[in-house]
Amino acid sequence: MTERSANGQNAHGQNAHGRVGTHPGDTGHFGAFGGSFIPETLSAALDELRACYESLEGDEEFWCELDDLLANFVGRPTPLYRAIGLERSWGAGVGSPKIYLKREDLAHTGAHKINNSLGQALLAARKLGKKRIIAETGAGQHGVATATACALLGLDCVVYMGLEDTHRQALNVFRMRLLGAEVVAVDSGSKTLKDAINEAMRDWVTNVDDTHYILGSVLGPHPFPKLVRDFQSVIGREARAAILEREGRLPTHLVACVGGGSNSIGLFHPFVQDEGVAMIGVEAGGEGIASGRHAARFAEDRVGVLHGTRTYVLEDEHGQIRETHSVSAGLDYPAVGPEHAMLHDMGRVEYHSATDAEALEAFQECSRLTGIIPALETAHALAEAKKLAACAHSDDLIIVNLSGRGDKDVQSVSRILGEAP
């Protein structure tokens, strides 16, 4: 693989729409990270996708159709809910900070993933003329969202999913098939998200003429990290407008889980220029950093190239990508989005981790105290928010991105807790 030439374009500019953060000639670098390390067979497809993406800046017809679907099909804007139950339990009484949950779990299909899947599917159908869609999925939510968008727009859909994840997320496998998608279980490597992406990439190389790959996170070669970020930034734009209406000021802290990093970058990006807003991304600490069984890429400070982009990765002493572990299928990826890598090195975002045990505790606590069952991925962010609330000030405003609902995780959690029927 070779990398296309780079121009080091800064990632934070937005156009008048606040939607498209690129311009002709941009090759998708975020400081020292990102780029496009690809086989030549994908060059034409990525050039076409980049040109199409850049053309969206002034395409009012596209944005009007997408906005209509986001409002009337997806159910946006999603609410910003003040979680008083968490405040009472986590804070210090009168001195408790206010805690708000950005309710992406209420978006159609149950997570933030629909924002990107619908945007890219519409792009494929209306602008690229591609009728076959492929996707990868870990927790299954991106697969369900992509299958949903394809059913809506009349597109063929194939979803690659690690065999291990098909067992953990059997409900979502059935949902995808019910929506008309073909689900291909990947029985290689760790049989998780990394291996699903490998197979999706192989499919795309083989069928590039008639197929669009809807990558599910802010990963991969340019323009995917920016394209996915721009479709997910609706989260942060809505959160910003809602908190200003509710509180008359910006939040002091944003907290979100980070696998590949789309839900978190979607929340963070519209606030990056606001120096008074602290941002915390939460990785999967698994069984603890010292155990080696985790998916906390920033904890080990290694940079490499995976799936077309240069970023922080988990690798062994020989430079080979390591297997990861997390109780949540959506966080056990061995690399992180390149924009997150840049924000980490800039010191603009802090990246912490939560263990499986902490996430399971937060999963149960949020359910009991708020009446909202969160996704296990989201539970990692909630575990960090609990720590933050314990030392926060009474005038702090904390927004946690509730990136998905936990229906998909109930059976696996019940088994872990020894309560399976």
Side-chain angles (χ1 to χ4, degrees):
M1 292 186 187
T2 57
E3 187 194 13
R4 319 293 292 280
S5 62
N7 69 1
Q9 171 69 18
N10 186 284
H12 298 309
Q14 290 184 325
N15 68 355
H17 301 286
R19 299 180 187 267
V20 178
T22 190
H23 65 80
D26 182 4
T27 54
H29 275 68
F30 301 87
F33 306 101
S36 189
F37 296 83
I38 57 170
E40 287 301 316
T41 48
L42 289 180
S43 295
L46 284 167
D47 286 344
E48 179 186 29
L49 179 60
R50 186 178 65 251
C52 184
Y53 167 51
E54 291 166 356
S55 74
L56 292 182
E57 182 172 353
D59 194 333
E60 295 295 338
E61 183 179 357
F62 176 86
W63 292 115
C64 284
E65 183 174 6
L66 180 58
D67 285 345
D68 179 73
L69 290 172
L70 288 173
N72 298 307
F73 183 71
V74 176
R76 305 206 70 89
T78 58
L80 190 67
Y81 168 69
R82 185 177 172 191
I84 294 176
L86 297 182
E87 293 176 10
R88 289 171 177 164
S89 177
W90 293 355
V94 177
S96 301
K98 292 182 180 178
I99 301 172
Y100 283 91
L101 305 179
K102 179 58 172 155
R103 297 291 307 277
E104 290 301 291
D105 60 309
L106 294 180
H108 182 43
T109 72
H112 69 289
K113 292 293 187 180
I114 190 68
N115 304 323
N116 168 58
S117 292
L118 185 58
Q120 285 202 56
L122 192 65
L123 190 70
R126 301 288 188 262
K127 302 299 177 183
L128 296 173
K130 303 289 178 72
K131 299 300 182 184
R132 180 175 181 267
I133 299 297
I134 58 174
E136 86 297 328
T137 196
Q141 287 302 121
H142 174 58
V144 170
T146 301
T148 299
C150 289
L152 174 69
L153 297 171
L155 303 171
D156 294 333
C157 182
V158 178
V159 179
Y160 290 91
M161 189 172 190
L163 182 62
E164 175 68 22
D165 292 336
T166 66
H167 298 322
R168 289 195 284 185
Q169 302 294 341
L171 174 62
N172 276 341
V173 172
F174 179 72
R175 292 172 74 193
M176 286 183 269
R177 289 174 173 156
L178 189 63
L179 289 160
E182 177 187 354
V183 180
V184 179
V186 178
D187 187 14
S188 62
S190 59
K191 305 177 187 179
T192 57
L193 181 59
K194 170 179 68 70
D195 311 290
I197 294 177
N198 288 340
E199 291 303 315
M201 287 284 191
R202 291 188 184 102
D203 184 316
W204 200 23
V205 168
T206 304
N207 301 290
V208 68
D209 290 340
D210 68 348
T211 297
H212 175 60
Y213 178 17
I214 299 184
L215 190 62
S217 196
V218 285
L219 300 165
H222 179 59
F224 282 114
K226 291 187 176 183
L227 177 68
V228 176
R229 177 201 70 198
D230 290 344
F231 284 135
Q232 291 293 3
S233 289
V234 65
I235 301 170
R237 293 196 302 272
E238 288 179 3
R240 186 187 187 91
I243 198 69
L244 286 172
E245 180 179 353
R246 296 281 292 275
E247 297 287 345
R249 59 191 176 103
L250 292 177
T252 56
H253 299 82
L254 304 175
V255 184
C257 63
V258 182
S262 66
N263 93 87
S264 44
I265 213 70
L267 177 64
F268 296 165
H269 187 66
F271 293 90
V272 164
Q273 302 296 341
D274 300 299
E275 295 181 1
V277 179
M279 295 183 277
I280 302 172
V282 189
E283 300 183 283
E287 295 176 3
I289 304 303
S291 74
R293 286 180 48 78
H294 61 82
R297 289 65 47 101
F298 292 118
E300 298 195 2
D301 199 30
R302 291 176 177 266
V303 174
V305 173
L306 181 63
H307 295 138
T309 195
R310 184 173 189 270
T311 186
Y312 281 89
V313 298
L314 289 175
E315 61 184 20
D316 62 22
E317 63 273 19
H318 305 295
Q320 298 300 306
I321 297 299
R322 257 191 14 230
E323 290 190 8
T324 58
H325 166 77
S326 173
V327 71
S328 58
L331 298 186
D332 63 353
Y333 182 66
V336 67
E339 187 166 5
H340 283 289
M342 180 187 71
L343 292 170
H344 168 271
D345 280 14
M346 290 170 57
R348 182 63 187 92
V349 179
E350 292 183 18
Y351 292 88
H352 301 174
S353 63
T355 65
D356 289 349
E358 290 170 331
L360 286 165
E361 180 182 351
F363 179 90
Q364 297 171 82
E365 199 167 26
C366 181
S367 301
R368 186 175 65 252
L369 296 174
T370 69
I372 301 167
I373 302 175
L376 275 174
E377 291 77 15
T378 300
H380 287 70
L382 290 165
E384 178 64 29
K386 180 177 182 178
K387 298 173 192 174
L388 179 61
C391 59
H393 301 290
S394 59
D395 60 348
D396 282 346
L397 294 176
I398 301 170
I399 295 179
V400 182
N401 197 23
L402 210 156
S403 56
R405 68 180 185 230
D407 307 44
K408 66 183 179 61
D409 297 311
V410 168
Q411 287 184 322
S412 61
V413 171
S414 70
R415 287 193 294 270
I416 292 169
L417 298 179
E419 297 181 10

